Amino acid sequence: GKNVICEKPATLSAVELEEVIRVSRECGRVFTVHQNRRRDCDFLSVRQALADGMVGKPFFIETRVQGSNGIPGDWRRVRESGGGMLYDWGVHLIDQLLQLIDSPVTEIYAQIFCVKYDVDDNLKVLFRFENGVCAQMEVMTDCFQPLPRWHVLGEDGTLNIMSFQGEGSVIRGTVKEVDWSFESVVQKNYAGSTRTMRPRPSNTIETLDVPKKETDWSEFYRNYRDVLMGKAELLVKPEESLRVAKVVEKAFESSQKGIAVSCRI
């Protein structure tokens, strides 16, 4: 008979989560999952940049968290307790991607490693969406030279956000196509004679700052209060958490089978 805020992952299977959602509705109670990483400033900055059309139409989104400290010696090393990086960090990154890309997931290909522990400690997952957008998610605990937190390719530009603090930039073209006849001084020091990969002339690009967004960790709880008072809708709907759970299961399936798995989630 209680209203419930659940930590993520809510359950270790989609079937269990479906039962929780069903019971909450039968009891007329409010159930949600604490997806706190929706309030991270780096994610909010990416979402705002895409909404503002800073890179044009996106076609490939990379999201990653990388460290070199391994996995803490607590429940995170116990599979039965929800351990492993796909349940720990992957759930967050998948939830963020599903918020950014408004389209069903149609294909998942995962490479999941247990390098030092009995649970997954390094992983890479590729997603294809029905609208043609692709995404790549990485969670690494044995990486000593991290890549950008976000790397987004759009038809008009590229976005990089380097860390959780949200610092980054967008570089975009100011002309639709470069003049292929141009000669660049830089080319003399460039590897190879390729024209395709040589640097663009500086007068054909511009650099923009990524919108800086601040983290407001309390918004989740204010929203839950307002929902209980009948004044708002849930920020994190149970159906959204169920989508994440289904994607996680397909990622495990893909890694176990060693193939890309078709779906519609």
Side-chain angles (χ1 to χ4, degrees):
K2 300 292 185 181
N3 297 302
V4 173
I5 295 175
C6 185
E7 258 296 351
K8 64 83 210 168
T11 60
L12 298 185
S13 75
V15 171
E16 290 179 348
L17 185 51
E18 287 173 338
E19 181 181 3
V20 172
I21 295 171
R22 176 181 58 79
V23 171
S24 69
R25 289 172 177 166
E26 289 176 353
C27 296
R29 299 301 175 185
V30 180
F31 168 75
T32 190
V33 180
H34 188 211
Q35 290 286 358
N36 59 299
R37 294 290 171 181
R38 290 192 189 184
R39 302 310 309 163
D40 282 5
C41 58
D42 60 278
F43 167 69
L44 295 175
S45 294
V46 171
R47 188 172 67 176
Q48 188 64 56
L50 293 180
D52 291 345
M54 294 184 71
V55 298
K57 182 180 179 182
F59 61 89
F60 202 95
I61 299 176
E62 297 180 21
T63 176
R64 59 178 60 84
V65 289
Q66 297 173 314
S68 56
N69 297 317
I71 298 178
D74 51 22
W75 60 268
R76 290 174 177 84
R77 294 187 187 181
V78 182
R79 188 174 301 279
E80 294 76 16
S81 301
M85 287 296 101
L86 187 51
Y87 277 130
D88 187 7
W89 266 102
V91 167
H92 284 308
L93 302 192
I94 292 169
D95 181 70
Q96 290 178 341
L97 283 174
L98 296 182
Q99 292 297 302
L100 292 176
I101 306 170
D102 185 19
S103 181
V105 183
T106 58
E107 187 176 86
I108 298 172
Y109 177 60
Q111 295 176 318
I112 300 175
F113 303 92
C114 301
V115 177
K116 294 181 178 177
Y117 308 100
D118 293 330
V119 295
D120 48 289
D121 51 9
N122 295 269
L123 60 94
K124 181 179 291 189
V125 187
L126 291 169
F127 305 93
R128 185 181 298 277
F129 291 80
E130 195 170 73
N131 64 359
V133 177
C134 291
Q136 176 175 293
M137 176 191 81
E138 296 182 41
V139 183
M140 302 292 178
T141 64
D142 290 281
C143 175
F144 288 84
Q145 296 192 58
L147 295 169
R149 171 72 182 85
W150 294 88
H151 182 67
V152 180
L153 299 176
E155 292 179 353
D156 300 327
T158 301
L159 175 150
N160 267 351
I161 287 185
M162 305 311 296
S163 70
F164 292 114
Q165 283 65 50
E167 72 276 9
S169 63
V170 170
I171 297 179
R172 64 184 185 184
T174 56
V175 296
K176 287 295 183 182
E177 187 172 356
V178 298
D179 179 3
W180 285 94
S181 65
F182 81 90
E183 290 298 328
S184 173
V185 176
V186 179
Q187 186 184 9
K188 295 180 180 179
N189 298 319
Y190 196 67
S193 59
T194 174
R195 288 191 300 164
T196 306
M197 299 304 169
R198 66 184 178 182
R200 254 189 182 236
S202 59
N203 64 334
T204 67
I205 58 175
E206 61 180 351
T207 301
L208 305 174
D209 292 330
V210 172
K212 188 69 174 179
K213 307 294 286 187
E214 296 300 326
T215 297
D216 182 1
W217 296 102
S218 63
E219 182 186 25
F220 175 87
Y221 297 102
R222 291 199 307 272
N223 169 255
Y224 195 71
R225 174 203 63 195
D226 292 343
V227 170
L228 295 180
M229 297 174 66
K231 297 180 179 180
E233 293 185 358
L234 282 171
L235 282 178
V236 184
K237 298 177 175 59
E239 295 80 9
E240 294 170 343
S241 297
L242 183 58
R243 284 188 74 198
V244 174
K246 290 179 177 179
V247 168
V248 167
E249 288 185 342
K250 288 297 182 181
F252 276 124
E253 179 185 343
S254 170
S255 182
Q256 290 165 0
K257 293 181 177 179
I259 59 173
V261 175
S262 297
C263 57
R264 194 175 191 278
I265 301 173

